[in-house]
Amino acid sequence: MPLFKYGVLKGKVVDVRPVDSFDKTPHYEVHIRATKKDKSEENYRIAINVASKVKPSEVLYFVSEDFNSNQITIIPNFEEGFTEVTRENREIALDYIRGGLFDPSKMIPLPASKNGPDNDLNEKVNKYMQEAMTKKATVYAYGEKFKTEDKVDKYFGFSPGRGIHDIHMNQGNSRDFRKDDGIWQDGGVLIHFEKENRWVGIFLAFQSQSWCTDDQGHATKPVSVCNHTNRKSVIETNGFPNMEKDRLC
């Protein structure tokens, strides 16, 4: 699998750091705390991209309380903390193209930060993270585990500095990020408000990513031909939902 360690982090939001206008690579930072079965606690940070390094910089965003996910019947049984996706639990992996989670044509590009209320990605993500923190909801963040965790976390000060990033689609990348391509390794955030029995899914992708990919996750058509608005051509090109998960790892 191209990503270092792809998996899902389960825990509760205890703090947030909205994007700073001075950040060179804008991320919305979230402090997640996982309580283990033995009552010990682990701290993690999730870094959510709110801007793209590749133009156009606006990130594609979609949030839904009505998404098609079999994962939500499985992941609530997991212990809090990070669970790596392997061949043994591959049914929990996310794939925006093959999994039929949502209609990508409903995604909209949003700037990282913009004057005015509720009109940028920073504010959209903050709305749900604040609600999750207030209501003590359980957050499931999909992405790549930090490769280095031996330092103090630079935003929230805990140690070791565990966390995950790449919480967005991870296939069909432009040339500079082609090495990260893979299928069944897309990122995203699922929030379970248990008291309301309500789920919210937050899905992110870059406008530079193609939605037509082969079984290695590489683009088969340029984004100008196969983008998030071309739902019909994506289905026809990839032939989903009949994709094989045995190519996951």
Side-chain angles (χ1 to χ4, degrees):
M1 182 180 292
L3 294 186
F4 168 58
K5 285 186 178 181
Y6 171 70
V8 56
L9 171 64
K10 177 181 179 179
K12 301 288 197 301
V13 179
V14 295
D15 198 4
V16 299
R17 178 188 177 276
V19 65
D20 191 310
S21 59
F22 297 102
D23 288 345
K24 292 181 179 179
T25 56
H27 289 79
Y28 184 100
E29 310 288 353
V30 185
H31 181 179
I32 297 288
R33 183 166 294 148
T35 301
K36 311 300 286 185
K37 291 180 180 179
D38 63 4
K39 306 302 181 182
S40 63
E41 294 181 337
E42 294 177 348
N43 291 290
Y44 295 84
R45 172 168 57 89
I46 64 175
I48 302 174
N49 290 78
V50 292
S52 173
K53 290 182 179 179
V54 181
K55 293 182 179 181
S57 63
E58 292 83 3
V59 173
L60 294 171
Y61 164 87
F62 177 67
V63 63
S64 177
E65 297 188 22
D66 183 25
F67 53 94
N68 182 25
S69 173
N70 290 326
Q71 289 83 356
I72 66 174
T73 66
I74 304 170
I75 55 179
N77 298 318
F78 285 11
E79 182 179 18
E80 292 192 359
F82 181 79
T83 299
E84 185 177 0
V85 173
T86 65
R87 287 188 176 277
E88 283 66 45
N89 63 2
R90 59 192 177 184
E91 69 275 7
I92 68 169
L94 300 184
D95 190 303
Y96 286 13
I97 296 173
R98 295 158 184 82
L101 280 167
F102 60 92
D103 183 350
S105 68
K106 293 182 178 179
M107 301 188 91
I108 59 172
L110 287 174
S113 182
K114 185 177 180 180
N115 290 333
D118 197 29
N119 61 357
D120 59 53
L121 190 50
N122 184 62
E123 291 171 321
K124 298 290 187 183
V125 174
N126 187 59
K127 170 187 174 182
Y128 287 103
M129 290 303 168
Q130 291 290 347
E131 184 182 6
M133 183 161 48
T134 299
K135 296 182 177 179
K136 302 186 186 308
T138 301
V139 171
Y140 301 84
Y142 279 82
E144 180 185 48
K145 198 170 190 286
F146 289 173
K147 293 180 180 178
T148 304
E149 298 182 329
D150 58 349
K151 297 180 180 179
V152 174
D153 185 81
K154 63 181 179 179
Y155 294 110
F156 301 111
F158 57 79
S159 181
R162 302 184 184 97
I164 65 170
H165 62 153
D166 286 345
I167 305 174
H168 48 69
M169 191 166 87
N170 290 302
Q171 57 184 307
N173 284 302
S174 58
R175 183 177 59 185
D176 290 346
F177 297 95
R178 192 172 186 271
K179 61 178 174 38
D180 295 330
D181 283 344
I183 63 172
W184 296 104
Q185 61 158 30
D186 287 335
V189 179
L190 308 181
I191 307 174
H192 189 198
F193 296 92
E194 289 97 338
K195 292 181 180 179
E196 306 167 27
N197 193 25
R198 167 177 158 240
W199 284 87
V200 172
I202 300 174
F203 307 104
L204 305 168
F206 300 126
Q207 294 186 68
S208 58
Q209 291 174 308
S210 173
W211 287 73
C212 293
T213 61
D214 60 21
D215 60 8
Q216 300 300 312
H218 300 316
T220 58
K221 291 185 178 181
V223 69
S224 58
V225 175
C226 190
N227 56 52
H228 68 289
T229 64
N230 298 329
R231 176 72 171 176
K232 188 172 185 295
S233 66
V234 171
I235 294 174
E236 291 175 348
T237 301
N238 290 280
F240 86 6
N242 299 313
M243 301 299 293
E244 300 176 12
K245 280 196 178 184
D246 61 1
R247 295 173 178 175
L248 172 62
C249 299

